[in-house]
């Protein structure tokens, strides 16, 4: 049996026993458990040290499975057709007869759902009899993991199994859009705002203000590497890690390139890993060059802004 297959078998074994494991997605690694089980989902909160009122995203393999748990509508269908599987989560109305654990939704009548694209996790979901609740696989408020090593950094041996899927392709979490009433973006993410506007043929409103928290992932301090982060810096101090997005003529050991030619996809992909790396190297603060706010740059700036509220 290939290692890949035997690992999926192991993953299934743990999940069927109501344990949590880490799974790769195209955005970041998730801490996954049976979304239908109170016991399994309560372990996620405990391991992540996550407040109980912060609901979880549920991951599905196919539409028919999702329709057992929530109501879909025409806006959902349009976005689903264009972007799924992919880095977008939808907040929808929960069905009364759904088997989703109340831990997942914090007893509310809405649920966040998505179809991840990573082939290993799709293969896993296909073989399970239940969907997977999976928040990012990090301790609450810290930086999301993009490799197996990052997950080990977060949980050490407190996690029983990590399904290895290599470094995640996108490196930032999914975009969250609520479709319960008027479409509203609750969290910027892997799909740019303009692409969503185009499909729904409207300028979608945003609500990521911390005063009206619909999506607690929008708390002001989040995605934090645990040391101060300064933004829009032209010249860093010598003892600061300097994260750059375009090539400099001079060299310095505190320079860390997210990209050498302002490539936003590359910057997104390297951001979390670089934040982790410079902290490990012992830097006590981080300076980041200005990153354009267009396209994926809007999400990157959102995360950096929250990381900088240290
Ligand atoms: O890319 C992703 O979305 C990753 C991967 C693992 O799928 N997951 C992820 O999960 O980022 P998490 O838990 O770290 O962030 C999910 C966000 C949280 O801010 C949570 O508050 C919000 O989704 N959320 C979950 N259910 C919700 C609901 N019913 N209404 C509003 N927000 C919700
Ligand atoms: Mg998270």
């Amino acid at each position: 049996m290939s290692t890949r297959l035997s690992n999926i078998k192991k993953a299934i074994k743990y999940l069927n026993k109501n344990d949590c494991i880490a799974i790769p997605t195209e955005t970041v690694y998730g801490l996954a458990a049976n979304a239908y089980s109170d016991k399994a989902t309560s372990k996620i909160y405990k391991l992540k040290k996550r407040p109980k009122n912060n609901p979880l995203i549920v991951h599905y393999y196919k539409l028919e499975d999702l329709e057992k748990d929530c109501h879909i509508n025409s806006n959902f269908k349009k976005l689903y057709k264009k972007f799924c599987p992919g880095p977008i989560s939808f907040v929808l109305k929960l069905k009364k007869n759904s088997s989703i654990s109340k831990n997942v939704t914090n007893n509310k009548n809405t649920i966040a759902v998505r179809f991840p694209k990573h082939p290993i996790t799709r293969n896993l979901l296909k073989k399970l009899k239940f969907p997977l609740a999976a928040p990012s696989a990090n301790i609450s408020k810290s930086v999301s993991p993009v490799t197996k090593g990052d997950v080990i950094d977060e949980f050490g041996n407190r996690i029983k199994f990590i399904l290895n899927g290599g470094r995640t392709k996108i490196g930032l979490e999914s975009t969250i859009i609520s479709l319960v009433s008027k479409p509203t973006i609750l969290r910027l993410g892997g799909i740019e705002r303009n692409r969503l506007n185009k499909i729904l043929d409207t300028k979608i409103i945003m609500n990521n203000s911390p005063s009206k928290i619909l999506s607690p992932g929008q708390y002001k301090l989040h995605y934090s590497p645990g040391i101060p982060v300064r933004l829009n810096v032209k010249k860093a101090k010598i003892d600061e890690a300097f994260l750059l997005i375009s090539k400099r003529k001079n060299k310095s050991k505190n320079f860390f390139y997210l990209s050498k030619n302002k490539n936003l996809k590359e910057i997104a992909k390297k951001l979390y890993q670089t934040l982790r790396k410079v902290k490990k190297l012992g830097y006590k603060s981080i300076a980041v060059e200005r990153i354009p706010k267009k396209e994926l740059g809007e999400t990157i700036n959102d995360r950096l802004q929250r990381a900088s509220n240290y």
Side-chain angles (χ1 to χ4, degrees), residues 76-89:
F76 169 83
K77 284 181 195 158
K78 288 181 203 159
L79 294 169
Y80 172 81
K81 205 168 149 207
K82 179 74 185 171
F83 299 115
C84 295
I88 181 164
S89 299

Side-chain angles (χ1 to χ4, degrees), residues 157-222:
N157 59 11
R158 281 174 298 136
I159 186 153
K160 293 201 171 149
F161 184 67
I162 302 170
L163 187 57
N164 192 357
R167 174 140 61 117
T168 65
K169 211 166 173 178
I170 295 176
L172 297 173
E173 300 79 357
S174 62
T175 300
I176 304 180
I177 181 165
S178 172
L179 300 174
V180 172
S181 52
K182 197 171 174 186
T184 308
I185 293 175
L186 302 182
R187 177 176 76 183
L188 292 163
I191 294 182
E192 300 97 337
R193 205 136 65 106
N194 277 343
R195 298 183 65 205
L196 301 177
N197 288 344
K198 228 188 216 167
I199 301 299
L200 295 191
D201 198 20
T202 177
K203 197 162 179 263
I204 304 170
I205 51 176
M206 284 263 299
N207 186 347
N208 62 358
S209 92
S211 58
K212 276 199 216 158
I213 294 167
L214 289 172
S215 196
Q218 298 310 99
Y219 284 125
K220 231 172 156 194
L221 170 67
H222 209 121

Side-chain angles (χ1 to χ4, degrees), residues 27-30 50 54-57 59 91 110-112 114 134-136 173-174 176 186-187 214-217:
T27 58
V28 299
Y29 274 72
R50 181 173 177 117
N54 190 355
L56 309 176
I57 297 180
H59 297 61
V91 175
T110 64
I111 179 173
R114 89 178 193 90
S136 51
E173 300 79 357
S174 62
I176 304 180
L186 302 182
R187 177 176 76 183
L214 289 172
S215 196

Side-chain angles (χ1 to χ4, degrees), residues 113-178:
V113 291
R114 89 178 193 90
F115 299 90
K117 196 171 184 174
H118 197 295
I120 296 180
T121 287
R122 274 184 65 74
N123 197 355
L124 170 66
L125 285 166
K126 190 177 173 182
K127 294 187 162 80
L128 293 170
K129 293 200 166 50
F130 45 81
L132 291 175
S136 51
N138 52 276
I139 305 289
S140 220
K141 299 210 163 64
S142 93
V143 174
S144 299
V146 297
T147 62
K148 178 178 173 179
D150 294 350
V151 180
I152 296 173
D153 259 8
E154 291 288 323
F155 298 110
N157 59 11
R158 281 174 298 136
I159 186 153
K160 293 201 171 149
F161 184 67
I162 302 170
L163 187 57
N164 192 357
R167 174 140 61 117
T168 65
K169 211 166 173 178
I170 295 176
L172 297 173
E173 300 79 357
S174 62
T175 300
I176 304 180
I177 181 165
S178 172

Side-chain angles (χ1 to χ4, degrees), residues 25-293:
T25 84
E26 77 281 23
T27 58
V28 299
Y29 274 72
L31 185 62
N34 178 354
Y36 291 159
S37 157
D38 290 345
K39 186 175 165 203
T41 49
S42 70
K43 287 183 186 169
I44 294 181
Y45 286 90
K46 202 165 159 208
L47 205 55
K48 251 185 91 81
K49 302 190 179 130
R50 181 173 177 117
K52 277 270 168 138
N53 66 357
N54 190 355
L56 309 176
I57 297 180
V58 179
H59 297 61
Y60 290 88
Y61 176 66
K62 60 181 198 300
L63 191 54
E64 292 89 311
D65 298 336
L66 175 133
E67 287 192 88
K68 289 177 195 154
D69 296 325
C70 54
H71 296 282
I72 62 170
N73 54 34
S74 60
N75 282 329
F76 169 83
K77 284 181 195 158
K78 288 181 203 159
L79 294 169
Y80 172 81
K81 205 168 149 207
K82 179 74 185 171
F83 299 115
C84 295
I88 181 164
S89 299
F90 308 95
V91 175
L92 295 167
K93 253 200 188 138
L94 187 69
K95 281 193 173 163
K96 285 222 166 72
N97 61 353
S98 124
S99 308
I100 291 289
S101 161
K102 58 182 184 329
N103 292 335
V104 166
T105 55
N106 182 30
N107 276 317
K108 298 250 174 1
N109 60 358
T110 64
I111 179 173
V113 291
R114 89 178 193 90
F115 299 90
K117 196 171 184 174
H118 197 295
I120 296 180
T121 287
R122 274 184 65 74
N123 197 355
L124 170 66
L125 285 166
K126 190 177 173 182
K127 294 187 162 80
L128 293 170
K129 293 200 166 50
F130 45 81
L132 291 175
S136 51
N138 52 276
I139 305 289
S140 220
K141 299 210 163 64
S142 93
V143 174
S144 299
V146 297
T147 62
K148 178 178 173 179
D150 294 350
V151 180
I152 296 173
D153 259 8
E154 291 288 323
F155 298 110
N157 59 11
R158 281 174 298 136
I159 186 153
K160 293 201 171 149
F161 184 67
I162 302 170
L163 187 57
N164 192 357
R167 174 140 61 117
T168 65
K169 211 166 173 178
I170 295 176
L172 297 173
E173 300 79 357
S174 62
T175 300
I176 304 180
I177 181 165
S178 172
L179 300 174
V180 172
S181 52
K182 197 171 174 186
T184 308
I185 293 175
L186 302 182
R187 177 176 76 183
L188 292 163
I191 294 182
E192 300 97 337
R193 205 136 65 106
N194 277 343
R195 298 183 65 205
L196 301 177
N197 288 344
K198 228 188 216 167
I199 301 299
L200 295 191
D201 198 20
T202 177
K203 197 162 179 263
I204 304 170
I205 51 176
M206 284 263 299
N207 186 347
N208 62 358
S209 92
S211 58
K212 276 199 216 158
I213 294 167
L214 289 172
S215 196
Q218 298 310 99
Y219 284 125
K220 231 172 156 194
L221 170 67
H222 209 121
Y223 313 104
S224 164
I227 52 177
V229 178
R230 295 196 301 133
L231 306 183
N232 307 321
V233 175
K234 288 197 176 125
K235 200 165 177 272
K237 297 169 199 154
I238 189 68
D239 57 348
E240 252 177 340
F242 196 13
L243 276 46
L244 295 163
I245 64 160
S246 52
K247 190 144 175 39
R248 299 254 161 156
K249 283 199 194 91
N250 54 331
K251 284 189 175 167
S252 174
K253 77 173 189 3
N254 66 335
F255 285 4
F256 297 87
Y257 283 101
L258 298 172
S259 170
K260 288 194 173 164
N261 55 4
K262 299 191 177 176
N263 179 325
L264 292 169
K265 282 196 172 146
E266 190 189 2
I267 296 168
K269 186 165 177 169
K270 289 191 186 152
L271 180 65
Y272 287 165
Q273 210 180 25
T274 310
L275 291 175
R276 249 175 224 283
K277 178 171 154 187
V278 300
K279 164 110 191 274
K280 268 194 183 165
L281 285 171
Y283 284 96
K284 297 281 179 277
S285 67
I286 300 173
V288 190
E289 190 176 16
R290 197 185 73 80
I291 298 173
K293 290 199 169 67

